[in-house]
Amino acid sequence: MTDSFTINVDGRDIQATKGQTILEAAEAAGIYIPRLCHHPELKPHGSCRICTVIANGRSCTSCTQPAEPDMEVQNNHPQVEMWRKQLIEMLFVEGNHFCPFCEKSGGCELQALGYRHGLTATQHPHLFPRREIDATHPDIMVDHNRCVLCGRCVRASRDVDGKRVFQFVERGPEKRVAVNSDAKLSRTDVDLTDKAVGVCPVGAILPKRQGYVAPVGAREFDHTPIGTSVEGGNGSLEV
Amino acid sequence: MPHTSKPKVATCSLAGCFGCHMSLLDIDARILQLAEIVEFDRSPINDYKEFQGHCRVGLIEGGCCNEENVHVLRDFRKHCDVLVSVGECAIMGGIPAMRNTIDLKECLDEAYLNGPSVYNPGGRVPDDPEIPLLLNKVYCAHEVVKIDYHLPGCPPSADTIWEALVALLSDNPVSLPYELVKYD
């Protein structure tokens, strides 16, 4: 008995194995499905919705949806592309993303998704929410202005670091990442080498004293779009 | 001497830092070529304060932080066929829009009354009628008038501005390669 079967992505037959998600099967075949909250070392979360595809006629998040035999998947599809563009836009306007001075600029996955999708301006008005900065920790800072609620830090701290430093609190528009029931970061046992610190896709959790180390022109997404390495290009992207 | 047959270009800096204008000047020797193909109308580059006529392209640097910015921007819309937001401030408010997370009164109080380095014995926030009234928040250009193209960057590189200008002046759509569209 074989666990291998065929699924079709944008008209191309690819091999998938039982237990693989659509995103994983596509990636193994060199097809990049844009994503933000997904991280290969963490349990799928399915919250950012950017990896949405149409599978057998229904929209679903490809990072959580298991691949099934003979599945028909639309990834580079005008409708899907429009959804993704809208989602990326909404992530930009919901927070305070000032790329010009952000230390993460050039290596930021949200910004890189904007570049990849040709986003030059947002149609929605910016909300400019008032958010906190936690710089109490000697080695790590948390800027909630840039947080996109992907939950990577929450999952990494809980499942990899075994510390549960970060968690979600509140709901809806009030939802945010908090540390140990609202104590500041310096009063947690978070460490600079923790997975939770390294997996932030944006500039919300940053190591201190390492800002702007790579000059403009030498940063991760300066010359190659996000996803290039998956698609077999010469990019240096590691996802 | 004005050459009326040339298409006209106008530029302005609203709530910006003139960095985008610096980037425009950074096209280096191509500025001679630009002078060959266009005539500058209202612009800080020639210091014309009013429009001399109708323009093909208007370049907007900065968003709107006060009522004068809104007036100038509407004047540009009226006088330009194609209006381009140049840079992050025009596109999303940029650095000036950092005040959008804070009440205007709180901002003014901090700047003129309560700030740690403020010396203001009169306790008066500047209110001379010559000073344009501040808006409640900083608005990006396309929240105020219709904008036809957006050139992101802080500033957009000289190549980005050049490529866009050449396309627009030759009636082509602006299509920029990956490396010329950046938000910083």
Side-chain angles (χ1 to χ4, degrees), chain A residues 174-186:
Chain A
E174 309 301 324
K175 185 173 176 177
R176 63 195 157 85
V177 166
V179 294
N180 282 4
S181 303
D182 257 0
K184 296 282 186 184
L185 197 63
S186 63

Side-chain angles (χ1 to χ4, degrees), chain A residues 105 115 119 122 219 221 223, chain B residues 100 106 142 178-179 183-184:
Chain A
S105 192
Y115 293 161
L119 202 72
T122 58
R219 301 169 306 178
F221 303 119
H223 303 289
Chain B
N100 287 3
E106 207 180 329
H142 66 273
Y178 177 82
E179 286 174 305
Y183 306 156
D184 60 2

Side-chain angles (χ1 to χ4, degrees), chain A residues 92 96-101 105-106 111-112 114-116 118-126 128-130 145 216 219 221-226, chain B residues 88-89 91-103 106 137-138 140 142-143 149-154 176 178-184:
Chain A
F92 268 105
N96 297 312
H97 298 280
F98 293 97
C99 296
F101 63 80
S105 192
Q111 186 189 58
Y115 293 161
R116 187 179 168 107
L119 202 72
T120 56
T122 58
Q123 300 170 36
H124 307 289
H126 284 258
F128 295 112
R130 196 163 186 170
N145 289 289
V216 174
R219 301 169 306 178
F221 303 119
D222 280 341
H223 303 289
T224 44
I226 190 167
Chain B
E88 287 301 302
C89 297
I91 288 173
M92 59 76 71
I95 306 298
M98 286 182 76
R99 80 160 159 96
N100 287 3
T101 62
I102 303 162
D103 266 1
E106 207 180 329
K137 62 176 189 130
V138 178
C140 60
H142 66 273
E143 281 183 298
Y149 286 97
H150 299 88
L151 298 179
C154 186
L176 297 168
Y178 177 82
E179 286 174 305
L180 292 189
V181 179
K182 293 287 177 286
Y183 306 156
D184 60 2

